[in-house]
Amino acid sequence: MKTLSNMGFALFGAALVAISYGLARFAFGLFVPSISTELSITPAMIGVIGALPFVSFVLATLMAPKAADWLGARYLAMLSGTMGVAGLAVISQAGSASLLGVGVFICGVCTGLMMPALTAAMQALVSRTMHGRVSSIMNAGTSIGIIVAVPTVVFLSDAWRVTYAAFAVLAGLGVLAAWLFIPSVSRVVPADAAPPPPITGQQWSRLVRLALFAFAMGFVAAPYWLFAPDLLVSLGGLSGHLTGWLWFAAGVAGLGGAVVSDLADRNNPPITQALMLMMLSASLVLLAASPNQLGLAMFSALIFGGAYMSLTGLYLMTGIRLLPGRLSLGPVLPFMACALGQAVGSPVIGALVDQLGYANAFSLFCVAGVFIALLSPLYPGHIDYFAEDTPALLDSEEDTGLQAAYDQQLLDENGEPYEESVTTEPGDTSAQTNLANT
C-alpha cells in the first residue's frame, strides 16, 4: 500500500466519491431523456426505476458496518468499486426497463458502501485534527462527479451507452486505486478512549426530528435529480445536449455547500434549514415556469445545487453532534432518511408527471417543500426550542464547525473531548477497535 498525506487522501477520496456518487448515482437524471426515448419508458416507470438506487443505497448502508468489520477499508472500497463497474456496465447494455433497473440498483449498492470504506480509511490514515477538512473535501466529490458528467451529455447526449461504458472504465480504475492506496484496516481509536454514553430519550427525540427533516428534503429534491433534464426537453423543447449545463450549474453551486453548512453550525441551524429548503423549493417552480430559457434553468440549478449540498452537509454535522462516539448512527441516520425520501419521491413524481404534467407536478412538490420549511423551528440545532439545556448549547457556540463535530466523537473518562494524539501504523491491528461505518 502506498502512503498518502492528509490532503492527498482527501483528494483521493473525493475522486472515488465523484465516481460512486456523481457518476453512478446522480448522473442518471441527465440521460433520462435519451434513455426513456430509446427504451420507450414512461415517466411513471422512470420514477420507479429512479427509486431503486436509493433503496439499494439504504440496504448497503445497513450492511456496511458488518462488511467493514469483515473486509476492512481496502476490500470494502474495492467491493464498492466493483459493484459500480457492474452496475454501470449493465446500464450501458440495458435493452429493457427491467435490465435498466437492475443496473441502477447495483449502482446504489456501490454508493452505499463507498463512504463507509473511506471513513474507515480516514480513521487510520488521517490526523484526527484534519478529519473535518478531509470529510468536507471528500463530500465535495459528489459535485465534482456531477460536473465531470456534463461534457458527456453536451457532446454525446444520444450516446448514453458509450458514456456509461466509459463510466464503468473509470470505476474500474477506482478499484485499482483503492487497492493501491487504502489500508486493509477498520477504524482505529485510542485504547483509553471512553466508550460512548447511553443514548438518552432527548437524543432519540432529536434524532427522529433530524431524520424526518432529512426524509422530507429527499422527497422534495427527488423531482429535480430525476426529471429536471427531461422537463427541459419535453416541456421546454430544448435540445438534449443542453441539459448538461443544468448539472454543471448544480455541481458548481454544490461545491460551496460545505461552507454554508459549516457557517450554519456557527449561527442558527433551524433558520439556515428553512432558508435552504425555501431555495430548493423555489428552484423547482422556477424550472417549471421557464423550461424554454436555458439561462433561467441554469439559475434554478445553481439554487438547487447549493441548497441540496448545504442541507446534506448540515444534516451530516447535526447527526455527528447529536450522538458523540456513535458514527455508526449519528451521521448515517439522516443520510438513510434522505435516500428513503428520494426513493419515495421518485415514483410519486413519476406518477404525477403522467397524470398532471411536469409543471403541475413540480409545483406540488414546491408547495410541499415550503410547508416543510415552515416547520424548521423544530429542527434539532443549537437553538433547540424543545430542549431543556438550550443555554448550555448556546454557551458552547464557539466550538462549532465540522471539525468541532468530529472532535466531540472521542471522549476521555471525564467526558471531555479526547486530545491525546495516537499514532497507529496502518498495518497494526493490535490496538484497533472496529466501529461501524457511516
Side-chain angles (χ1 to χ4, degrees), residues 176-193:
L176 177 61
W179 181 75
L180 289 174
F181 295 108
I182 293 182
S184 58
V185 297
S186 296
R187 292 176 184 268
V188 179
V189 298
D192 56 344

Side-chain angles (χ1 to χ4, degrees), residues 121-136:
M122 180 180 73
Q123 295 288 330
L125 293 179
V126 176
S127 302
R128 191 163 57 83
T129 56
M130 291 288 291
H131 282 184
R133 182 177 299 178
V134 169
S135 294
S136 294

Side-chain angles (χ1 to χ4, degrees), residues 212-289:
L212 288 175
F213 275 114
F215 177 91
M217 191 279 281
F219 181 86
V220 173
Y224 214 105
W225 285 123
L226 191 57
F227 283 119
D230 199 44
L231 184 151
L232 294 187
V233 175
S234 302
L235 189 62
L238 296 181
S239 174
H241 73 274
L242 294 177
T243 61
W245 295 112
L246 275 186
W247 260 222
F248 177 79
V252 169
L255 291 174
V259 176
V260 173
S261 60
D262 202 69
L263 290 175
D265 193 54
R266 299 173 188 276
N267 295 283
N268 193 317
I271 290 179
T272 302
Q273 204 230 197
L275 177 61
M276 292 297 112
L277 270 175
M278 286 287 192
M279 291 172 59
L280 191 148
S281 303
S283 69
L284 294 173
V285 74
L286 178 60
L287 185 71

Side-chain angles (χ1 to χ4, degrees), residues 210 213-214 217 273 277 311-319 334 379:
L210 174 62
F213 275 114
M217 191 279 281
Q273 204 230 197
L277 270 175
L311 285 168
T312 54
L314 179 61
Y315 297 153
L316 167 68
M317 196 177 306
T318 303
Y379 185 83

Side-chain angles (χ1 to χ4, degrees), residues 91 113-114 204 208 222 348:
I91 293 174
L113 296 179
M114 182 55 75
W204 278 120
V208 168
V348 171

